[in-house]
């Protein structure tokens, strides 16, 4: 039983080593996400500028139709003005023509402005594309560095997994199954040393008879509260 416990503890060490490498790999994730966010930001600025070009373009097309219709209407009023006889009707038409002229002038001014908007959006696309290029260039070296460091971690992981497999093979099937089941639970580890009279994980007191079993060298027990394997570190010579 003590031999089995030692293998279990060895297995736990191998798993901690694997976890350590996993967290080394994961530690780069926030930085990678930050780099991705910078790229995404520049891409979104390009996308926004593209949309405003489209919007400015369709606004411009609508204005052209509107202006064309206004011009036709003005032309019709001018033609009618040549034929009207009544002074009142002529005055009305003159007033309509005046109003039409100012509306037309306003729409034409807006049409000119819309050309500026398209121009502005094109400039910001060019700027955002330039920015994206600069961000990619600035990131390239660090991305390569991170990639190399993560690859180095994965290489070590292969070795660590090999070692773990070697230890697991030395355990009895029952102990291995139990260990794996506990490891899938909430506790970060499967084995905890007895902490005074309590489970070293959740600090729930281990009942007297169980503690006696541990003292007597039965070497392991399960915590009734959290289910981890509790062992007596004092019973491990050399540990
Ligand atoms: Zn516990």
């Amino acid at each position: 039983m003590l031999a089995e416990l030692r293998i279990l503890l060895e297995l736990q060490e191998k798993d901690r080593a694997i976890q350590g490498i996993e967290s080394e790999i994961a530690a780069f994730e926030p930085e990678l996400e930050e780099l991705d966010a910078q790229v995404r930001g520049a891409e979104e600025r390009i996308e926004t500028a593209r949309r405003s070009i489209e919007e400015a373009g369709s606004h411009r097309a609508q204005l052209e139709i509107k202006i064309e219709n206004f011009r036709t209407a003005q032309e019709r009023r001018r033609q009618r003005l040549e034929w009207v006889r009544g002074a009142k009707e002529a005055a009305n038409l003159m007033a309509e023509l005046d109003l039409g002229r100012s509306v037309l002038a306003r729409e034409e001014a807006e049409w000119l402005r819309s050309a500026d908007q398209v121009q502005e959006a094109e400039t910001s696309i060019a700027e955002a594309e330039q920015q994206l290029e600069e961000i990619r260039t600035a990131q390239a070296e660090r991305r390569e560095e991170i990639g190399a460091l993560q690859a180095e971690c994965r290489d070590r992981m292969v070795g660590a997994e090999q070692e773990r497999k070697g230890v697991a093979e030395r355990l009895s099937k029952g102990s291995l199954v139990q260990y794996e089941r506990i490891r899938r639970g909430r506790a970060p580890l499967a084995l905890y040393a007895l902490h005074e009279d309590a489970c070293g994980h959740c600090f729930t007191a281990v009942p007297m008879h169980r503690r006696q079993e541990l003292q007597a060298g039965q070497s392991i027990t399960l915590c009734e509260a959290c289910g981890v394997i509790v062992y007596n570190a004092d019973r491990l010579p050399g540990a």
Side-chain angles (χ1 to χ4, degrees), residues 6 27 45 98 108 147 153-154 164 178-179 224 235:
R6 274 205 208 86
R45 281 192 291 279
D98 277 348
E108 280 170 345
C153 287
R154 279 191 219 68
R164 186 212 191 263
Q178 187 183 45
Y179 173 86
E224 290 179 336
R235 300 289 304 181

Side-chain angles (χ1 to χ4, degrees), residues 3 21 41 43 48 58 79 81 92 99 101 106 115 159 202 214 230:
I21 300 171
E43 283 171 348
T48 306
S58 79
Q79 282 169 7
L81 194 57
N92 280 345
L99 186 65
R101 252 193 300 278
R106 211 170 55 222
C202 72
L214 287 177
V230 178

Side-chain angles (χ1 to χ4, degrees), residues 199-204 223-228 230:
C199 160
H201 174 240
C202 72
F203 301 104
T204 300
C223 170
E224 290 179 336
C226 72
V228 302
V230 178

Side-chain angles (χ1 to χ4, degrees), residues 186-197:
R186 257 190 297 245
L189 300 172
L191 292 111
Y192 284 84
L194 192 67
H195 182 85
E196 288 166 11
D197 292 342

Side-chain angles (χ1 to χ4, degrees), residues 12-232:
Q12 176 152 286
E13 274 320 299
K14 298 300 173 198
D15 277 332
R16 288 176 82 163
I18 288 173
Q19 273 173 9
I21 300 171
E22 278 168 355
S23 17
E24 276 182 67
I25 295 174
F28 292 109
E29 288 312 314
E31 192 183 345
L32 284 173
E33 274 164 28
E34 175 56 35
L35 295 178
D36 288 345
Q38 287 175 6
V39 170
R40 224 171 19 250
E43 283 171 348
E44 273 162 19
R45 281 192 291 279
I46 294 175
E47 196 45 47
T48 306
R50 285 219 175 97
R51 263 200 306 278
S52 53
I53 282 190
E54 270 171 39
E55 278 160 23
S58 79
H59 181 53
R60 207 165 149 75
Q62 282 167 358
L63 279 176
E64 280 166 12
I65 294 168
K66 218 164 147 187
I67 289 168
E68 194 47 44
N69 289 342
F70 265 125
R71 282 198 184 124
T72 310
Q74 285 291 81
E75 191 48 41
R76 245 184 260 121
R77 287 187 193 105
R78 265 193 288 276
Q79 282 169 7
R80 267 165 59 203
L81 194 57
E82 286 175 24
W83 297 97
V84 293
R85 292 289 170 259
K88 195 176 176 223
E89 201 183 341
N92 280 345
L93 267 173
M94 290 292 281
E96 275 179 35
L97 268 166
D98 277 348
L99 186 65
R101 252 193 300 278
S102 68
V103 170
L104 196 55
R106 211 170 55 222
E107 298 293 332
E108 280 170 345
E110 202 181 333
W111 182 76
L112 287 173
R113 271 201 305 278
S114 73
D116 291 344
Q117 282 162 3
V118 171
Q119 184 59 49
E120 271 167 37
E122 272 166 1
T123 306
S124 38
I125 283 189
E127 278 169 7
E129 277 171 348
Q130 172 77 17
Q131 248 176 357
L132 181 60
E133 198 49 44
E134 282 167 12
I135 288 169
R136 289 216 164 109
T137 309
Q139 288 186 355
E141 197 181 333
R142 183 60 186 150
R143 279 189 188 272
E144 205 169 308
E145 233 167 51
I146 292 174
L149 288 167
Q150 285 187 325
E152 185 265 323
C153 287
R154 279 191 219 68
D155 283 349
R156 266 191 290 135
M157 182 68 94
V158 172
E161 275 167 351
Q162 209 79 46
E163 281 179 32
R164 186 212 191 263
K165 195 163 162 265
V167 175
E169 278 164 359
R170 280 159 46 210
L171 262 185
S172 71
K173 182 100 201 308
S175 290
L176 184 60
V177 168
Q178 187 183 45
Y179 173 86
E180 300 284 22
R181 183 178 50 73
I182 297 169
R183 232 168 65 86
R184 280 193 299 272
R186 257 190 297 245
L189 300 172
L191 292 111
Y192 284 84
L194 192 67
H195 182 85
E196 288 166 11
D197 292 342
C199 160
H201 174 240
C202 72
F203 301 104
T204 300
V206 174
M208 178 76 86
H209 69 279
R210 293 268 173 110
R211 251 171 25 233
Q212 277 165 353
E213 285 168 7
L214 287 177
Q215 296 296 348
Q218 208 172 318
S219 53
I220 64 165
T221 188
L222 296 184
C223 170
E224 290 179 336
C226 72
V228 302
I229 298 169
V230 178
Y231 65 96
N232 188 349

